[in-house]
Amino acid sequence: MSMKLYTILQFTEILGVYMIMTVLLPAFVLHNRIRERRLAQKFFICMLSGNFYIMNLVFLLQLLHISNRFTLITGTFIPAFILWRRLNNIHLMPFFRGIWHNLHRISDGKMGGKTVVFRILDHLRRDVAALGRALLQSFRKRWLEWILVAAVLVLLAVFYGVQLLRGYGYTASDTPVHLYWINGMSKNDIFIDGVYPFGYHCVIYYLHAVFGIDSYVFMRLFSFVQTLMLHMVLLGFIRLCCRSRYISYAVMGIYIIGNFLQPSTYLRFFSVLPQEYGMIFILPAIYFAFYFFQERRQEVKKWRLPKESRFALVFFAMSFSMTLAVHFYDTMIAGLFCVGVAVGYLFWFLRKQYFWSVLLTGFLSVMIAILPMAAAYAMGTPLQGSLGWGMSVINGSGDKQEGTEEETGGTVIYYDEMGNQMSEPEPLEPGKGTESSEPTEGIRQKLAQVWDKLCSAINGAVLNEPLSWYYIVVLAAMELLFLMGILFLVFRRPCYGAMLLSTGVFMVLLLILQTAKELGLPELMDGSRCRIYFGYMLPVVFAFAADGVIRLLLWKKNWHRGRNFCSLVCVAASVCLLWNGDYRKEAVENTTLVTNEAITCLTNIIREEEDFTWTICSANDETQMGLDHGYHYELITFLKDMELNDLEPGAKPSIRIPTDSVYVFIEKIPIDYTEHYSESGQAVSRQGAIRDLPSAEGIDMYKGENRWILMSRIYYWAQAFKQLYPYDVRTYCETDQFVCYKIRQNPYHLFDFAIDYGYNSRKIEE
């Protein structure tokens, strides 16, 4: 089986188990309670319920040190069965009485085995047929929407999914660290490196432990799963909030393949990272905040019990707490949007019928997320270093993130993920920074400076081309939200108008956050991260603006067909726009940090060899990959253990690896691991092998020229070892860029891998 086909099968399995546990199982349990709701709302309810339960179940079992497959399955399905029975009024006694009666009939010979099998299969056939009829009926009612949803999925698969088949390895340098934390949970050692938002790691660990899929496979392929969910949430949010049926599909198509945003606003979607997974829960929280004010207003007006508004607050609390449980940057964005909601719905928010409910819900949502981390900290687990770094960024004392921003001469130059300089903010005209003798003139100049910096931030950090009409369109759409929000409030559509105002206020706050450094404000979030959120929220801005215009033009409620037709015209216009190749994104060649050959070899080794009978000697990325099946000897450790410098004179180093097979991964043309150097792309050579071993620390050991030195050394070690033991060393896999050697050894007479291969440090000095 080819690696590409195997990757497709692995991804299908991962997507299937994730959707079953986070969407389909909650849908089955909650079916009777949510069957009358809109499809997108059902999706939000089920997705939030599944993720929230999994995260907190894992947190509980891990802190009790009893987490394993049995406890996870028991803790999932027994509560699910009990809740399903209660919500659906299922009585068990008649069910068991029927089983007992049938067992009696079978024992008495009145019913045969064929009859039992036929009845079971017939029951399953009727259920499958009922499900098929329901799906067919849904398709007939909204066939055009289903086609558009399928089109969105196809666009996502073409732009983001194909990358999985081009590069099998990790695309982010901190992926091995996250994998290390997840593997630590397999030993009931949560927060193995310190207290950190572990919600994302809980989900990956849960699926790994319950379904037995290797954790490294999740860290390779889960990026497309979370990217699918990220876009489906965005689509569902716009679909629920807008009154025009098809406007969401128009903006989604442009967002996915339109060439209007900087690549750095979406390149991280190709990687398995917590921040992007936490983004899934931002918009559902805001939707349920909108829904709360809408329903609570009706309850107060009609003196109804606060049933539906409490329902909205429950799911708001789930969603908001998961942003904090996964990544605190997501909480910051959700919090800014909540500030926008508080301003937009100010006339209701300050009333006691709303205020105390919202305040209590916000407090509880934060406490739910903090409680597991606080419990671990109280038990003596220190904070993880990234939390300290995050706090230093907020305080303004943190180090700049490498390759993202650079301050030069009072301005900020932005760089994309590959280190290429992006558009630079235009300098202010001379004299704009000096205050006039007239106070009003000085204020006017300061406002002009602020305006120029805000425009430069949009142009330089978010938009792909420094064309004036790009950022003018963005700013015009944001201004439309304020204008139409006020108009709808005046025209007695208060909830809709407040929603538009809330979004406008939030976008202004987000723009200020993006431009904080230029404005001289505390930089609460790194600009390279903030623009990801800004780009993600732009479809919401344009969808709300277009929907508001359509609704103003077609005001009456019974003109919904006209509104739908106008939104369908927007879909056609977006197709025509994207038909022009100048406005479409080019396929992204995202750089992987592990070669395809290394992943292929690892996969084949796991499938072919018995567990814990093999060892891989390679660079750092494979350290945690095969942890459940074999062993790993890190390349730098292997080479250092062979050196003579740290030994007494006359002493001889010794390296013995007690496994039947030893595999050595060598990059004949070392990859640029997050860092270029002057001779990037050169092959291993004697010039590299003769160089001293790098003295860098941590991951820097494998960056730039250091990687070339290490790969050159291990390559010539392999050639020397092969000459010593020609019958025990064979080439397992070789291409122009990569070679893997397999060494078979007698477990009762192990090889000493510490040999003089001509480039040992003391040998060189001599």
Side-chain angles (χ1 to χ4, degrees), residues 386-400:
S386 296
L387 288 182
W389 170 83
M391 293 303 297
S392 67
V393 169
I394 293 174
N395 294 330
S397 59
D399 294 333
K400 292 181 179 66

Side-chain angles (χ1 to χ4, degrees), residues 4 83 138 161 224 270 276 350 396 498 662 691 707 745:
K4 288 188 177 181
L83 186 60
S138 175
F224 187 41
F270 290 95
E276 281 59 41
L350 294 179
V662 177
R691 301 277 293 275
R707 195 177 189 94
Q745 60 177 343

Side-chain angles (χ1 to χ4, degrees), residues 77 175-176 619:
F77 289 100
T175 302

Side-chain angles (χ1 to χ4, degrees), residues 112-126:
K114 291 184 179 180
T115 304
V116 174
V117 173
F118 174 78
R119 288 187 177 183
I120 293 174
L121 293 177
D122 186 61
H123 184 72
L124 291 175
R125 181 189 62 80
R126 290 198 302 270

Side-chain angles (χ1 to χ4, degrees), residues 646-661:
D646 297 331
L647 299 177
E648 296 293 333
K652 185 176 183 297
S654 177
I655 300 176
R656 300 189 186 276
I657 302 175
T659 54
D660 296 348
S661 302

